[in-house]
Coordinates of all heavy atoms in Angstrom, one line a residue:
M1 N 126.1 88.9 100.8 CA 124.8 88.2 101.0 C 123.9 89.3 101.6 O 124.2 89.8 102.6 CB 125.0 87.1 101.8 CG 123.6 86.5 102.3 SD 123.7 85.0 103.2 CE 125.0 85.1 104.3
E2 N 122.7 89.4 101.0 CA 121.7 90.3 101.5 C 120.8 89.4 102.5 O 120.4 88.4 102.2 CB 121.0 90.9 100.5 CG 119.9 91.9 100.8 CD 119.1 92.7 99.8 OE1 119.4 92.5 98.7 OE2 118.0 93.2 100.0
V3 N 120.4 90.2 103.5 CA 119.3 89.5 104.5 C 118.2 90.4 104.6 O 118.5 91.7 104.8 CB 120.0 89.3 105.9 CG1 119.0 88.6 106.8 CG2 121.2 88.3 105.8
R4 N 117.0 90.0 104.4 CA 115.8 90.9 104.5 C 114.9 90.2 105.5 O 114.6 88.9 105.4 CB 115.2 91.0 103.1 CG 114.0 91.9 103.1 CD 113.5 92.1 101.6 NE 114.6 92.6 100.8 CZ 114.3 92.5 99.4 NH1 113.2 92.2 98.8 NH2 115.4 92.9 98.7
S5 N 114.2 90.9 106.3 CA 113.1 90.4 107.2 C 111.8 90.9 106.8 O 111.6 92.1 106.6 CB 113.4 90.8 108.6 OG 114.7 90.2 109.1
I6 N 110.8 90.0 106.9 CA 109.4 90.5 106.5 C 108.4 89.8 107.5 O 108.9 88.9 108.2 CB 109.0 90.1 105.1 CG1 109.1 88.6 104.8 CG2 109.8 90.9 104.0 CD1 108.5 88.1 103.5
V7 N 107.3 90.5 107.6 CA 106.2 89.9 108.4 C 105.0 89.7 107.6 O 104.6 90.6 106.8 CB 105.8 90.8 109.6 CG1 104.7 90.3 110.5 CG2 107.1 91.1 110.5
L8 N 104.4 88.4 107.5 CA 103.3 88.2 106.8 C 102.2 87.7 107.6 O 102.4 87.0 108.6 CB 103.6 87.1 105.8 CG 104.7 87.5 104.7 CD1 104.9 86.3 103.8 CD2 104.2 88.7 103.8
G9 N 100.9 87.9 107.3 CA 99.8 87.3 107.9 C 99.5 86.0 107.3 O 99.9 85.7 106.2
P10 N 98.8 85.1 108.0 CA 98.6 83.8 107.4 C 97.8 83.9 106.0 O 97.0 84.8 105.8 CB 97.6 83.1 108.5 CG 97.8 83.8 109.7 CD 98.3 85.2 109.3
D11 N 98.3 83.2 105.1 CA 97.9 83.1 103.7 C 98.2 84.4 102.9 O 97.8 84.5 101.8 CB 96.3 83.0 103.6 CG 95.9 81.6 103.9 OD1 96.5 80.6 103.6 OD2 94.8 81.4 104.6
E12 N 99.1 85.2 103.5 CA 99.6 86.5 102.7 C 100.8 86.0 102.0 O 101.5 85.0 102.4 CB 99.9 87.5 103.7 CG 100.2 88.8 103.1 CD 100.5 89.9 104.2 OE1 100.4 89.7 105.3 OE2 100.8 91.1 103.6
S13 N 101.1 86.6 100.8 CA 102.2 86.2 100.0 C 103.1 87.4 99.8 O 102.7 88.6 99.9 CB 101.8 85.6 98.7 OG 101.0 86.7 97.9
Y14 N 104.3 87.1 99.3 CA 105.4 88.1 99.2 C 106.1 87.7 97.9 O 106.5 86.5 97.7 CB 106.2 88.2 100.4 CG 107.4 89.0 100.1 CD1 107.3 90.5 100.4 CD2 108.7 88.6 99.9 CE1 108.3 91.3 100.2 CE2 109.8 89.4 99.7 CZ 109.7 90.8 100.0 OH 110.7 91.6 99.9
E15 N 106.3 88.6 96.9 CA 107.0 88.3 95.7 C 108.5 88.7 96.0 O 108.7 89.9 96.2 CB 106.4 89.0 94.5 CG 105.2 88.2 94.0 CD 104.8 88.8 92.7 OE1 105.4 89.6 92.1 OE2 103.7 88.2 92.1
L16 N 109.5 87.9 95.6 CA 110.9 88.2 95.7 C 111.4 88.0 94.3 O 111.2 87.0 93.7 CB 111.5 87.2 96.8 CG 113.1 87.4 96.9 CD1 113.4 88.6 97.4 CD2 113.6 86.2 97.6
R17 N 112.2 89.1 93.8 CA 112.7 89.1 92.5 C 114.3 88.9 92.7 O 114.9 89.7 93.5 CB 112.4 90.3 91.7 CG 110.9 90.3 91.4 CD 110.6 91.6 90.6 NE 109.2 91.5 90.2 CZ 108.2 91.9 91.0 NH1 108.3 92.2 92.2 NH2 106.9 91.8 90.5
L18 N 114.8 88.0 92.1 CA 116.3 87.7 92.1 C 116.8 87.6 90.7 O 116.2 87.0 89.9 CB 116.6 86.4 92.8 CG 116.2 86.4 94.3 CD1 116.5 85.0 94.9 CD2 117.0 87.3 95.1
T19 N 118.0 88.1 90.5 CA 118.6 88.2 89.2 C 119.2 86.9 88.9 O 120.0 86.3 89.6 CB 119.6 89.3 89.0 OG1 119.0 90.6 89.2 CG2 120.3 89.3 87.7
G20 N 118.8 86.2 87.7 CA 119.3 84.9 87.5 C 120.5 85.0 86.5 O 120.7 86.0 85.8
R21 N 121.2 83.9 86.5 CA 122.3 83.8 85.5 C 122.4 82.4 84.8 O 123.4 81.7 84.7 CB 123.7 84.0 86.2 CG 124.0 85.4 86.7 CD 125.1 85.6 87.5 NE 125.2 87.0 87.9 CZ 124.6 87.7 88.9 NH1 123.6 87.0 89.6 NH2 124.7 88.8 89.2
G22 N 121.2 82.1 84.3 CA 121.0 80.8 83.7 C 121.8 80.5 82.6 O 122.3 79.3 82.3
A23 N 122.1 81.6 81.8 CA 122.9 81.4 80.6 C 124.4 80.9 81.0 O 125.1 80.4 80.2 CB 123.0 82.6 79.7
R24 N 124.8 81.2 82.2 CA 126.1 80.7 82.7 C 125.9 79.5 83.5 O 127.0 79.1 84.1 CB 126.7 81.8 83.4 CG 127.0 83.1 82.7 CD 127.7 84.1 83.4 NE 127.8 85.4 82.7 CZ 127.6 86.6 83.1 NH1 127.3 86.7 84.3 NH2 127.7 87.6 82.3
G25 N 124.8 78.8 83.5 CA 124.6 77.6 84.2 C 124.2 77.6 85.7 O 124.1 76.6 86.2
Y26 N 124.0 78.9 86.1 CA 123.5 79.1 87.5 C 122.0 78.9 87.7 O 121.3 79.5 86.8 CB 124.0 80.4 88.0 CG 125.5 80.4 88.2 CD1 126.4 81.0 87.2 CD2 126.0 80.0 89.5 CE1 127.7 81.0 87.5 CE2 127.4 80.1 89.7 CZ 128.3 80.6 88.8 OH 129.6 80.7 88.9
V27 N 121.5 78.4 88.7 CA 120.1 78.3 89.1 C 120.0 78.8 90.5 O 120.9 78.6 91.4 CB 119.5 76.9 88.8 CG1 119.6 76.5 87.5 CG2 120.2 75.9 89.8
W28 N 118.8 79.3 91.0 CA 118.5 79.6 92.3 C 117.9 78.3 92.9 O 117.0 77.7 92.5 CB 117.4 80.8 92.4 CG 118.2 82.1 92.1 CD1 118.1 82.9 91.0 CD2 119.0 82.8 93.1 NE1 118.9 84.1 91.2 CE2 119.4 84.0 92.4 CE3 119.5 82.5 94.4 CZ2 120.2 85.0 93.1 CZ3 120.3 83.5 94.9 CH2 120.6 84.7 94.3
T29 N 118.4 78.1 94.2 CA 117.9 76.9 94.9 C 117.4 77.6 96.2 O 117.9 78.6 96.6 CB 118.8 75.8 95.1 OG1 120.0 76.3 95.9 CG2 119.2 75.1 93.9
W30 N 116.5 76.9 97.0 CA 116.3 77.4 98.3 C 116.1 76.3 99.4 O 115.8 75.2 99.0 CB 115.0 78.3 98.3 CG 113.7 77.7 97.8 CD1 113.0 76.9 98.6 CD2 113.3 77.5 96.6 NE1 111.9 76.4 97.9 CE2 112.0 76.8 96.6 CE3 113.7 78.1 95.4 CZ2 111.3 76.5 95.5 CZ3 112.9 77.8 94.2 CH2 111.7 77.0 94.3
Q31 N 116.3 76.8 100.6 CA 116.2 75.8 101.7 C 115.5 76.5 102.9 O 115.9 77.6 103.2 CB 117.5 75.2 102.2 CG 117.5 74.3 103.4 CD 118.7 73.8 103.7 OE1 119.7 74.5 103.5 NE2 118.8 72.7 104.5
V32 N 114.5 76.1 103.4 CA 113.7 76.6 104.5 C 114.2 75.9 105.8 O 114.1 74.8 105.9 CB 112.1 76.4 104.2 CG1 111.3 77.1 105.4 CG2 111.7 77.0 102.9
T33 N 114.4 76.7 106.7 CA 114.8 76.4 108.1 C 113.9 77.0 109.1 O 113.2 78.0 108.7 CB 116.3 76.5 108.4 OG1 116.6 77.8 108.4 CG2 117.2 75.7 107.4
G34 N 114.1 76.6 110.5 CA 113.1 77.2 111.4 C 112.0 76.4 111.4 O 111.9 75.1 111.2
D35 N 110.8 77.0 111.4 CA 109.5 76.2 111.2 C 109.2 76.1 109.7 O 108.5 77.0 109.1 CB 108.4 77.1 111.9 CG 107.1 76.3 112.0 OD1 107.0 75.2 111.3 OD2 106.1 76.8 112.6
A36 N 109.7 75.1 109.1 CA 109.6 74.9 107.7 C 108.3 74.8 107.2 O 107.9 75.0 106.0 CB 110.5 73.6 107.3
D37 N 107.2 74.5 108.1 CA 105.8 74.4 107.7 C 105.2 75.8 107.7 O 104.0 75.9 107.3 CB 105.0 73.4 108.6 CG 105.5 72.0 108.4 OD1 105.9 71.7 107.2 OD2 105.4 71.2 109.3
A38 N 105.9 76.8 108.0 CA 105.2 78.1 108.2 C 105.2 78.8 106.9 O 104.2 79.7 106.7 CB 106.1 79.0 109.2
V39 N 105.9 78.4 105.8 CA 105.8 79.0 104.6 C 105.9 78.1 103.4 O 106.4 76.9 103.6 CB 107.0 80.1 104.3 CG1 106.9 81.2 105.4 CG2 108.3 79.4 104.4
T40 N 105.5 78.5 102.3 CA 105.6 77.7 101.0 C 106.5 78.7 100.0 O 106.3 79.9 100.0 CB 104.4 77.2 100.3 OG1 103.7 78.3 100.1 CG2 103.7 76.3 101.3
V41 N 107.3 78.1 99.2 CA 108.1 78.8 98.3 C 107.9 78.1 96.9 O 108.0 76.9 96.8 CB 109.6 78.8 98.6 CG1 110.3 79.7 97.5 CG2 109.8 79.4 100.0
A42 N 107.6 79.0 95.9 CA 107.6 78.6 94.5 C 107.9 79.6 93.5 O 107.9 80.8 93.8 CB 106.1 78.1 94.3
E43 N 108.4 79.2 92.4 CA 108.8 80.1 91.4 C 107.4 80.5 90.8 O 106.5 79.7 90.4 CB 109.8 79.6 90.4 CG 110.3 80.5 89.4 CD 111.4 80.1 88.5 OE1 111.8 78.8 88.7 OE2 112.0 80.8 87.7
A44 N 107.3 81.9 90.4 CA 106.1 82.4 89.9 C 105.9 81.9 88.5 O 106.9 81.8 87.7 CB 106.2 83.9 90.0
P45 N 104.6 81.6 88.1 CA 104.4 81.2 86.7 C 104.9 82.3 85.7 O 104.8 83.4 86.0 CB 103.0 81.1 86.5 CG 102.5 80.9 88.1 CD 103.6 81.6 88.8
G46 N 105.6 81.9 84.7 CA 106.1 82.8 83.7 C 107.3 83.6 84.2 O 107.8 84.5 83.6
A47 N 108.0 83.1 85.3 CA 109.1 83.9 85.9 C 110.3 83.8 84.8 O 110.4 82.6 84.2 CB 109.5 83.2 87.1
G48 N 111.0 84.8 84.6 CA 112.1 84.7 83.6 C 111.7 85.1 82.3 O 112.5 85.3 81.5
A49 N 110.3 85.4 81.9 CA 110.0 85.9 80.7 C 110.4 87.4 80.5 O 110.4 88.0 81.5 CB 108.6 85.6 80.5
G50 N 110.7 87.7 79.3 CA 111.1 89.1 79.0 C 110.0 90.0 79.2 O 108.8 89.6 79.1
A51 N 110.2 91.2 79.6 CA 109.1 92.1 79.9 C 108.4 92.3 78.5 O 108.9 92.7 77.5 CB 109.7 93.5 80.4
G52 N 107.1 92.1 78.6 CA 106.2 92.5 77.4 C 106.6 91.4 76.3 O 106.2 91.8 75.1
G53 N 107.1 90.4 76.6 CA 107.7 89.5 75.6 C 108.8 90.0 74.7 O 109.2 89.3 73.7
A54 N 109.5 90.8 75.2 CA 110.7 91.5 74.5 C 111.8 90.5 74.4 O 112.1 89.7 75.5 CB 111.2 92.8 75.1
A55 N 112.5 90.3 73.3 CA 113.7 89.4 73.2 C 114.8 90.0 74.0 O 115.1 91.1 74.3 CB 114.1 89.4 71.7
R56 N 115.6 89.0 74.6 CA 116.8 89.4 75.4 C 118.0 88.9 74.6 O 118.0 88.0 73.9 CB 116.7 88.6 76.7 CG 115.6 88.9 77.7 CD 115.8 88.2 79.0 NE 115.8 86.8 78.8 CZ 114.7 86.0 78.7 NH1 113.5 86.6 78.8 NH2 114.8 84.7 78.6
L57 N 119.0 89.7 74.9 CA 120.3 89.3 74.3 C 120.8 88.1 74.9 O 120.6 87.8 76.1 CB 121.4 90.5 74.5 CG 121.1 91.8 73.9 CD1 122.1 93.0 74.4 CD2 121.1 91.7 72.4
P58 N 121.5 87.3 74.2 CA 122.1 86.0 74.6 C 123.0 86.2 75.8 O 123.8 87.2 75.8 CB 122.8 85.5 73.5 CG 122.2 86.1 72.4 CD 121.7 87.4 72.8
G59 N 122.9 85.6 76.9 CA 123.7 85.7 78.0 C 123.3 86.8 79.0 O 123.9 86.9 80.1
A60 N 122.2 87.5 78.7 CA 121.7 88.6 79.5 C 121.2 88.1 80.8 O 120.5 87.0 80.7 CB 120.7 89.4 78.8
P61 N 121.3 88.8 81.9 CA 120.7 88.3 83.1 C 119.2 88.4 83.0 O 118.6 89.1 82.3 CB 121.2 89.4 84.2 CG 122.2 90.1 83.5 CD 122.0 90.0 82.2
V62 N 118.6 87.3 83.8 CA 117.2 87.2 83.6 C 116.6 87.3 85.1 O 117.2 86.6 86.1 CB 116.7 85.9 83.1 CG1 115.2 85.6 83.2 CG2 117.3 85.7 81.7
E63 N 115.5 88.0 85.4 CA 115.0 88.2 86.7 C 114.1 87.1 87.0 O 113.3 86.7 86.1 CB 114.2 89.5 86.7 CG 113.9 89.9 88.2 CD 113.2 91.2 88.2 OE1 112.1 91.4 87.9 OE2 113.9 92.1 88.7
R64 N 114.4 86.4 88.1 CA 113.4 85.3 88.6 C 112.5 85.8 89.6 O 113.0 86.6 90.5 CB 114.2 84.1 89.0 CG 115.2 83.5 88.1 CD 114.2 82.7 87.0 NE 115.1 82.1 86.1 CZ 114.7 81.6 84.9 NH1 113.4 81.7 84.6 NH2 115.4 81.1 84.1
T65 N 111.2 85.4 89.7 CA 110.3 85.8 90.7 C 109.9 84.6 91.5 O 109.5 83.5 90.9 CB 109.2 86.5 90.2 OG1 109.5 87.6 89.3 CG2 108.2 87.0 91.2
Y66 N 109.9 84.7 92.8 CA 109.6 83.6 93.6 C 108.5 84.1 94.6 O 108.5 85.3 95.1 CB 110.9 83.1 94.5 CG 111.9 82.6 93.7 CD1 112.9 83.4 93.1 CD2 111.8 81.2 93.3 CE1 113.9 83.0 92.2 CE2 112.8 80.7 92.3 CZ 113.8 81.5 91.9 OH 114.7 81.1 91.0
V67 N 107.5 83.3 94.9 CA 106.4 83.7 95.7 C 106.5 82.9 97.0 O 106.5 81.6 97.1 CB 105.1 83.3 95.0 CG1 103.9 83.7 96.0 CG2 105.0 84.1 93.8
V68 N 106.6 83.6 98.2 CA 106.7 83.1 99.5 C 105.3 83.4 100.0 O 104.7 84.5 100.1 CB 107.7 83.8 100.3 CG1 107.8 83.3 101.6 CG2 109.1 83.6 99.7
R69 N 104.6 82.3 100.5 CA 103.3 82.3 101.1 C 103.3 81.8 102.5 O 103.8 80.8 102.8 CB 102.3 81.6 100.3 CG 100.8 81.7 100.9 CD 99.8 81.2 99.9 NE 99.8 81.8 98.7 CZ 99.1 83.0 98.4 NH1 98.5 83.5 99.4 NH2 99.1 83.5 97.2
A70 N 102.8 82.6 103.4 CA 102.8 82.3 104.8 C 101.5 81.3 105.0 O 100.5 81.5 104.5 CB 102.5 83.4 105.7
R71 N 101.8 80.2 105.7 CA 100.6 79.3 105.9 C 100.0 79.5 107.4 O 100.8 79.8 108.4 CB 101.2 77.9 105.9 CG 101.8 77.7 104.5 CD 102.3 76.3 104.3 NE 101.3 75.3 104.6 CZ 101.5 74.0 104.7 NH1 102.7 73.5 104.4 NH2 100.5 73.2 104.9
P72 N 98.7 79.3 107.5 CA 98.1 79.4 108.9 C 98.7 78.3 109.8 O 99.2 77.4 109.3 CB 96.7 79.1 108.6 CG 96.4 79.3 107.1 CD 97.7 79.0 106.5
P73 N 98.7 78.5 111.1 CA 97.8 79.4 111.9 C 98.6 80.7 112.2 O 98.1 81.6 112.7 CB 97.5 78.7 113.1 CG 98.7 77.8 113.4 CD 99.1 77.4 112.0
G74 N 99.8 80.8 112.0 CA 100.6 82.0 112.4 C 101.4 81.8 113.7 O 101.4 80.7 114.2
G75 N 102.1 82.8 114.1 CA 102.8 82.8 115.3 C 104.1 82.0 115.2 O 104.7 81.3 116.2
S76 N 104.7 81.9 113.9 CA 106.0 81.1 113.7 C 106.9 82.0 112.9 O 106.6 83.0 112.4 CB 105.5 79.8 113.0 OG 104.8 80.0 111.8
R77 N 108.2 81.3 112.8 CA 109.2 82.0 112.0 C 109.8 80.9 111.1 O 110.1 79.8 111.5 CB 110.2 82.6 113.0 CG 109.8 83.7 113.7 CD 110.8 84.2 114.8 NE 110.3 85.3 115.6 CZ 110.4 86.6 115.3 NH1 111.0 87.0 114.1 NH2 110.0 87.5 116.1
A78 N 110.2 81.4 110.0 CA 111.0 80.6 109.1 C 112.1 81.4 108.4 O 112.1 82.6 108.3 CB 110.2 79.9 108.0
R79 N 113.3 80.7 108.0 CA 114.4 81.4 107.3 C 114.6 80.7 105.9 O 114.6 79.5 106.1 CB 115.6 81.3 108.2 CG 116.8 81.9 107.3 CD 118.1 82.1 108.2 NE 118.0 83.3 108.8 CZ 119.1 84.0 109.2 NH1 120.3 83.4 109.1 NH2 119.0 85.3 109.5
I80 N 114.6 81.5 104.9 CA 114.7 80.9 103.6 C 116.0 81.3 103.1 O 116.3 82.5 102.9 CB 113.5 81.4 102.7 CG1 112.2 81.0 103.3 CG2 113.7 80.6 101.3 CD1 111.1 81.7 102.6
R81 N 116.9 80.4 102.7 CA 118.1 80.8 102.2 C 118.2 80.3 100.6 O 118.1 79.2 100.3 CB 119.3 79.9 102.9 CG 120.6 80.2 102.3 CD 121.7 79.3 103.0 NE 123.0 79.4 102.3 CZ 123.3 78.5 101.3 NH1 122.6 77.5 101.0 NH2 124.5 78.7 100.8
F82 N 118.3 81.4 99.9 CA 118.3 81.2 98.4 C 119.9 81.3 98.0 O 120.6 82.1 98.5 CB 117.6 82.4 97.7 CG 116.2 82.4 97.8 CD1 115.6 83.0 98.9 CD2 115.4 81.8 96.9 CE1 114.2 83.0 98.9 CE2 113.9 81.7 97.0 CZ 113.4 82.4 98.1
A83 N 120.3 80.2 97.3 CA 121.7 80.2 96.8 C 121.6 80.0 95.2 O 120.9 79.2 94.8 CB 122.3 79.1 97.5
Q84 N 122.5 80.8 94.6 CA 122.7 80.7 93.3 C 123.8 79.7 93.0 O 125.1 80.1 93.3 CB 122.9 82.1 92.5 CG 122.7 82.0 91.2 CD 122.7 83.5 90.6 OE1 123.5 84.2 91.0 NE2 121.8 83.9 89.8
V85 N 123.6 78.6 92.5 CA 124.5 77.5 92.2 C 124.6 77.0 90.8 O 123.7 77.1 90.1 CB 124.4 76.3 93.3 CG1 124.5 76.8 94.6 CG2 123.1 75.6 92.9
R86 N 125.7 76.2 90.5 CA 125.7 75.5 89.2 C 125.6 74.0 89.6 O 126.5 73.4 90.2 CB 127.0 75.7 88.5 CG 127.1 77.2 87.9 CD 128.2 77.5 86.9 NE 129.5 77.1 87.5 CZ 130.6 77.2 86.7 NH1 130.5 77.6 85.5 NH2 131.8 76.9 87.3
P87 N 124.5 73.3 89.3 CA 124.2 71.9 89.8 C 125.4 71.0 89.3 O 125.6 70.1 90.1 CB 122.9 71.6 89.1 CG 122.2 72.9 89.0 CD 123.3 73.9 88.7
P88 N 126.1 71.1 88.1 CA 127.1 70.2 87.8 C 128.3 70.3 88.7 O 129.2 69.4 88.7 CB 127.5 70.5 86.4 CG 126.3 71.4 85.9 CD 125.7 72.1 87.1
Y89 N 128.3 71.3 89.6 CA 129.6 71.5 90.4 C 129.2 71.7 91.9 O 129.3 72.8 92.4 CB 130.3 72.8 89.9 CG 130.7 72.7 88.5 CD1 129.9 73.3 87.5 CD2 131.7 71.9 88.1 CE1 130.2 73.2 86.1 CE2 132.1 71.8 86.7 CZ 131.3 72.5 85.7 OH 131.7 72.3 84.4
P90 N 128.6 70.7 92.5 CA 128.2 70.8 93.9 C 129.2 71.3 94.9 O 128.8 71.9 95.9 CB 127.5 69.5 94.3 CG 128.2 68.5 93.3 CD 128.6 69.3 92.0
E91 N 130.4 71.1 94.7 CA 131.5 71.4 95.6 C 131.8 73.0 95.5 O 132.5 73.5 96.4 CB 132.8 70.6 95.4 CG 133.5 70.9 94.0 CD 132.9 70.4 92.8 OE1 132.0 69.6 92.8 OE2 133.3 70.8 91.7
E92 N 131.4 73.7 94.4 CA 131.6 75.0 94.2 C 130.8 75.8 95.1 O 129.5 75.6 95.4 CB 131.3 75.3 92.8 CG 131.9 76.6 92.2 CD 131.6 76.6 90.7 OE1 130.5 77.1 90.4 OE2 132.4 76.4 89.9
A93 N 131.3 76.9 95.8 CA 130.6 77.9 96.5 C 129.5 78.6 95.7 O 129.6 78.8 94.6 CB 131.5 78.9 97.2
P94 N 128.4 78.8 96.4 CA 127.3 79.7 95.6 C 127.9 80.9 95.0 O 128.7 81.6 95.6 CB 126.3 79.9 96.7 CG 126.5 79.0 97.8 CD 128.0 78.7 97.7
Y95 N 127.5 81.2 93.8 CA 127.9 82.5 93.2 C 127.2 83.7 94.0 O 127.8 84.8 94.1 CB 127.3 82.6 91.7 CG 127.7 83.8 91.1 CD1 128.9 84.1 90.5 CD2 126.6 84.9 90.9 CE1 129.2 85.3 89.7 CE2 127.0 86.1 90.3 CZ 128.3 86.2 89.7 OH 128.6 87.4 89.0
D96 N 126.0 83.6 94.4 CA 125.3 84.5 95.2 C 124.3 83.9 96.2 O 124.0 82.8 96.0 CB 124.5 85.5 94.2 CG 124.1 86.9 94.9 OD1 124.6 87.1 96.0 OD2 123.4 87.5 94.2
E97 N 124.1 84.6 97.3 CA 123.1 84.1 98.3 C 122.1 85.3 98.7 O 122.6 86.4 98.7 CB 123.8 83.6 99.5 CG 124.6 82.4 99.2 CD 125.2 81.9 100.4 OE1 126.3 82.5 100.8 OE2 124.9 80.9 100.9
F98 N 120.9 84.8 99.2 CA 120.0 85.9 99.7 C 119.3 85.2 100.8 O 118.8 84.0 100.6 CB 119.0 86.3 98.6 CG 118.1 87.4 99.0 CD1 118.3 88.7 98.9 CD2 116.8 87.1 99.6 CE1 117.5 89.7 99.3 CE2 115.9 88.0 100.0 CZ 116.2 89.4 99.8
V99 N 119.0 85.8 102.0 CA 118.3 85.1 103.0 C 117.1 86.0 103.3 O 117.2 87.3 103.4 CB 119.2 85.1 104.3 CG1 118.4 84.6 105.6 CG2 120.4 84.2 104.1
L100 N 115.9 85.4 103.6 CA 114.7 86.0 103.9 C 114.2 85.3 105.0 O 113.9 84.2 105.2 CB 113.7 85.8 102.7 CG 112.4 86.5 102.8 CD1 112.6 88.0 102.7 CD2 111.4 86.0 101.7
D101 N 114.1 86.3 106.1 CA 113.6 85.8 107.4 C 112.2 86.3 107.4 O 111.7 87.5 107.2 CB 114.3 86.6 108.5 CG 115.8 86.0 108.9 OD1 115.8 84.8 108.6 OD2 116.6 86.8 109.2
V102 N 111.3 85.2 107.7 CA 109.8 85.4 107.5 C 109.2 85.2 108.9 O 109.4 84.1 109.6 CB 109.1 84.5 106.5 CG1 107.7 84.9 106.5 CG2 109.8 84.7 105.1
E103 N 108.5 86.1 109.3 CA 107.6 85.9 110.6 C 106.2 85.9 110.2 O 105.7 86.7 109.4 CB 107.7 87.1 111.6 CG 107.0 87.0 112.9 CD 107.1 88.2 113.8 OE1 107.9 88.9 113.6 OE2 106.1 88.3 114.6
V104 N 105.5 84.9 110.5 CA 104.1 84.7 110.2 C 103.4 85.2 111.5 O 103.4 84.4 112.5 CB 103.7 83.2 109.9 CG1 102.3 83.2 109.5 CG2 104.6 82.7 108.7
A105 N 102.6 86.3 111.4 CA 102.1 87.0 112.5 C 100.8 86.1 112.9 O 100.1 85.6 112.1 CB 101.5 88.4 112.1
A106 N 100.7 86.0 114.3 CA 99.6 85.4 114.8 C 98.2 86.1 114.6 O 98.4 87.3 114.6 CB 99.8 85.1 116.2
V107 N 97.1 85.5 114.3 CA 95.9 86.2 114.1 C 95.4 86.5 115.4 O 95.3 85.6 116.3 CB 94.9 85.2 113.3 CG1 93.5 86.0 113.2 CG2 95.5 85.0 112.0
T108 N 95.0 87.8 115.7 CA 94.4 88.1 117.0 C 92.9 88.3 116.8 O 92.6 89.0 115.9 CB 95.1 89.4 117.5 OG1 94.9 90.5 116.5 CG2 96.5 89.2 117.8
G109 N 92.1 87.6 117.5 CA 90.7 87.6 117.4 C 90.1 88.7 118.3 O 90.9 89.3 119.1
G110 N 88.9 88.9 118.1 CA 88.3 89.9 119.0 C 87.2 90.7 118.3 O 87.5 91.4 117.5
S111 N 85.9 90.3 118.5 CA 84.8 91.0 117.9 C 84.0 91.7 118.9 O 83.9 91.4 119.9 CB 84.0 90.0 117.1 OG 84.4 88.8 116.9

């Protein structure tokens, strides 16, 4: 399991690319802990499309892109745990996991 830490300013976004195995029945899920209101997570539009519309071989891994956006006002932390699971088998351990620790930096004023 890989763990990555990032710092974002309020309303700043970060793109995370994870390799999918949808042809084998696996999907990426995520859970936000810590200050769950500090970030939003969404799959990027068009995620999983072949580069330049190129055809993929059946069963080939597909890259998924997720957009993590920091929410104002800042000064908070969240942990996002991505897990690659097969929904029909909830008792099965995840195939892969990725943890993203996000610090939303406080805005410092001063003019």
